[in-house]
């Protein structure tokens, strides 16, 4: 009997081992094994077992080569069920990632650490029948107290009864109590008391949505505005699964995985909820994961990695805010957790619900094609109305309009709070005319060119087309400028000048580089330590501030003008404006939203201000179709990097030229990334587009096997890429 083992070496191959007779009965696929590897012991997962009856099987494939035996089974309970292992393999194939890397992503490191184990502490229980022994008065009192409490953990009993472990052990020696080691759960909620909540009576739309989810068969896209009661639908769908003895996974973007979110699930399902997220200690993560695997916890709440949770008898997967780009993992394996959820649902026969107020165009098209069912929630379920949204056209170079400044002043007078948002992303620079605002675009793709200073070239990061840097505007003949937009610091300075006494907090990549400062800034704002919060995209998500009654977007169209390398710019802008509109006025106070834009006639800005997702999606899908962009195709990026500028360029050119001969994949020219150099690495990219992901996978496998990159150059494939810089 032989076993194929995946060892975490990123070699993308499995290793064969002989299974010793003593282990043959116990060994199972999905278990963690200990095996000899070179001169050391390694750990790996059993992927497949072959040749149960060795004597009649064919001779070993390597002639007289003798396989080494498995040293031990680390844990007899498999880490991966058969369906989960199937999912791992499919995701490895789809993302062109080594299967070990997917296995590694699927189990928390805290669980696999060699010294990871449950926390074991002394537990005291009163003995059943206390023997008639002579005790002191004090001992008798202690014994009575322990009986009254029904026992407890040593440290807590000592604190409560003001005594010492030695004293309690003496009671043990006299046979009055038993002292034994027990595993004590490291609880992420820290034993915090959560008030139980009861199911709410659903409104008609919610009831229809719940029925659609319960019907199953297809994934359901739950399209509902912020506050429309999607979470209540999730909760009741999960309750139904639990009643049928099935489990559930709830995925939320990391940024909205706040204690409030977790508590909503804990309030309904108590101890049956396990939480997995990056802020847990290793011990907490170890315990939560084991509670899931053992079946003690049936509902898992977590970020994208929760899609791999070993939930027994999985009945339902919820992906909340399914459009969020944080579901895409940006290093190997580059999976998209929403897509993995849909695949897992199909493999395990579990229902899947994807919730959003602004669905991704990928999911929306799946509804149009009949692959997903649609359920809509059009009204807010609880208190609060949708805020009034107004558009203000910006002229000249000012950052703030008179309308917005007046609205801020009113909030300052009333003691209410304001959020101001600067729509701005990283590195990409576009070129625009100072005079008429003309933006230089790729004629093929109608997307702003990205300006590369190094060789003053304009490049399209979709098709690889380029033009030499212009000296004047083709429309008005004036001088042109490379443009990266207004920075938060400048916006803050200008604001402070208008309102010298206002307390302003700024949040951007600079102010949040310290650990925790993100949370620090938000809690300072929440507790009223500032009047105005000014920041980039990162303040738009998942935040609920009861005293905020005004939200201003300073430059709504700016990412449309500058995101040369991002064909999702319009989609992201729509999401951003809808999100901030959903933020204001959720509590008792009515909200107002002011959206500033240099061009208010841009369709996405107008439609976002009106909240017309359907019209936006129709228009954007058409535009993407004309340029052969997702969701009408799969879009993958081959990224190459090297410390040697010449080598990476040559290799990228060669890859692009070779791949172009294949024919069934649309291949761009090789080009430097918008972010040309990072951490001392020179970066290049090639984009691949095809209706079939398998054609892209095949092309990648072919090129990386016939032309493996040399030492010093790294190449990777990002299937369905999100981050294009
Ligand atoms: P979403 O998840 O869509 O943003 P929530 O589930 O958070 O919306 O609901 C918003 C508010 O409406 C919450 O305070 C919730 O308690 C309340 N709510 C949800 N459903 C109902 C209902 N059927 N009746 C009354 N209030 C509801
Ligand atoms: Zn182009």
């Amino acid at each position: 009997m032989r076993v194929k083992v995946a060892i975490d070496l990123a070699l993308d191959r499995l290793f064969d081992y002989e299974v010793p007779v003593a282990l043959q009965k116990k060994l199972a696929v999905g278990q963690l094994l200990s095996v000899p590897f070179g001169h050391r012991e390694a750990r790996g997962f059993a992927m497949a077992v072959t040749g149960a009856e060795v004597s009649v099987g064919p001779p070993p494939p390597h002639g007289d080569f003798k396989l080494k035996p498995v040293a031990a089974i680390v844990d007899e309970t498999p880490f991966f069920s058969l369906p989960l292992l199937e999912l791992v393999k499919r995701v490895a194939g789809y993302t062109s990632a080594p299967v070990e890397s997917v296995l590694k992503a699927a189990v928390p490191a805290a669980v696999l650490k060699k010294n990871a184990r449950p926390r074991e502490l002394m537990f005291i229980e009163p003995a059943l029948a206390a023997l008639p022994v002579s005790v002191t008065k004090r001992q008798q009192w202690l014994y009575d107290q322990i009986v009254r409490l029904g026992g407890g953990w040593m440290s807590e009993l000592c604190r409560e009864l003001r005594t010492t472990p030695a004293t309690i052990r003496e009671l043990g020696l006299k046979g009055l109590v038993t002292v034994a080691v027990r595993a004590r759960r490291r609880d992420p909620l820290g034993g915090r008391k959560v008030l139980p909540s009861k199911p709410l009576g659903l409104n008609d739309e919610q009831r229809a949505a719940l029925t659609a989810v319960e019907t199953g068969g297809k994934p359901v896209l739950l399209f509902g505005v912020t506050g429309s009661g999607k979470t209540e639908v999730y909760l009741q769908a999960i309750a139904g699964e639990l009643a049928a003895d099935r489990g559930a996974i709830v995925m939320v973007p990391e940024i909205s995985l706040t204690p409030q979110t977790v508590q909503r699930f804990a309030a309904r399902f108590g101890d049956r909820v396990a939480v997995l997220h990056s802020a847990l200690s290793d011990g907490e993560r170890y315990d939560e994961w084991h509670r899931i695997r053992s079946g003690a916890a049936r509902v898992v709440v977590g970020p994208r990695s929760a899609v791999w949770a070993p939930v027994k008898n999985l009945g339902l997967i919820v992906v909340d805010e399914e459009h969020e780009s944080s579901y895409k993992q940006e290093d190997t394996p580059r999976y998209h957790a929403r897509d993995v959820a849909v695949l897992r649902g199909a493999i395990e026969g579990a229902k899947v619900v994807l919730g959003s107020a602004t669905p991704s165009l990928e999911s929306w098209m799946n509804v149009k094609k009949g692959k997903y069912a649609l359920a809509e929630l059009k009204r807010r379920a609880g208190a609060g109305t949708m805020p009034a949204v107004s558009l203000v056209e910006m002229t000249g170079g000012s950052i703030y309009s008179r309308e917005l400044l007046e609205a801020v002043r009113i909030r300052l007078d009333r003691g209410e709070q304001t959020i101001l948002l600067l729509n701005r992303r990283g590195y990409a620079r576009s070129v625009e005319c100072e005079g008429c605002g003309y933006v230089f675009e790729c004629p093929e793709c109608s997307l702003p060119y990205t300006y590369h200073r190094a060789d003053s070239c304009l490049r399209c990061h979709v098709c690889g087309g380029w033009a030499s840097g212009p000296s004047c505007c083709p429309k008005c003949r004036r001088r042109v400028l490379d443009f990266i937009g207004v920075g938060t610091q400048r916006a803050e300075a200008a604001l402070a000048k208008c309102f010298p006494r206002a307390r302003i907090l700024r949040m951007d990549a600079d102010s949040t580089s310290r650990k925790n400062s993100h949370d620090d800034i938000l809690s300072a704002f929440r507790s009223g330590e500032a009047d105005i919060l000014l920041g980039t995209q990162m303040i738009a998500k998942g935040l609920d501030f009861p005293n905020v009654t005004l939200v201003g977007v300073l430059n709504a169209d700016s990412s449309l003008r500058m995101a040369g390398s991002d064909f999702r710019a319009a989609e992201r802008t729509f999401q951003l404006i809808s999100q901030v509109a959903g933020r204001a006025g959720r509590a008792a106070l009515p909200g107002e939203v002011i959206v500033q834009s240099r061009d208010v006639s841009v369709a996405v800005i107008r439609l976002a201000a009106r909240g017309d997702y359907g019209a936006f999606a129709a228009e954007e899908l058409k535009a993407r179709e004309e340029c052969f962009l997702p969701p009408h195709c799969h879009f993958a990026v081959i990224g190459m990097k090297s410390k040697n500028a010449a080598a990476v360029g040559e290799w990228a050119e060669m890859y692009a030229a070779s791949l172009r001969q294949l024919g069934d994949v649309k291949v761009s020219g090789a080009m430097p990334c918008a972010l040309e150099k990072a951490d001392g690495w020179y970066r290049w990219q090639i984009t691949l587009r095809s209706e079939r992901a398998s054609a892209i996978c095949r092309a990648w496998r072919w090129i990386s096997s016939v032309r493996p990159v040399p030492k010093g150059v790294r190449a990777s494939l990002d299937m369905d890429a999100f981050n294009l810089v």
Side-chain angles (χ1 to χ4, degrees), residues 200-203 206 224-232 264 381-382 586:
L200 301 171
L202 299 183
N203 62 37
Q206 285 174 313
V225 296
T226 320
S228 59
K230 296 187 288 296
T231 309
E232 187 61 33
R264 282 184 81 176
R586 278 194 86 176

Side-chain angles (χ1 to χ4, degrees), residues 277-289:
H277 65 80
S278 62
L280 299 190
S281 69
D282 276 3
E284 287 167 343
R285 208 179 314 230
Y286 178 94
D287 287 356
E288 291 298 83
W289 190 87

Side-chain angles (χ1 to χ4, degrees), residues 184-194 263 271 284:
R184 182 170 191 195
R185 178 183 169 203
R186 289 155 287 197
D187 181 359
L189 296 179
R192 218 175 306 149
K193 280 271 171 290
V194 179
Q263 271 172 25
D271 266 357
E284 287 167 343

Side-chain angles (χ1 to χ4, degrees), residues 300-312:
V300 180
V301 182
R304 64 168 179 263
S305 58
V307 76
W308 304 107
V311 175
K312 282 195 175 155

Side-chain angles (χ1 to χ4, degrees), residues 553-588:
V553 183
L554 301 187
N555 51 349
D557 57 342
S558 139
S559 64
L560 299 173
R561 308 153 83 87
M562 60 188 279
S565 50
D566 187 3
F567 61 80
R568 288 190 178 87
E571 188 176 3
R572 290 192 213 264
T573 300
F574 188 91
Q575 289 166 355
L576 184 72
I577 295 175
S578 312
Q579 250 164 19
V580 297
R583 288 274 71 85
R586 278 194 86 176

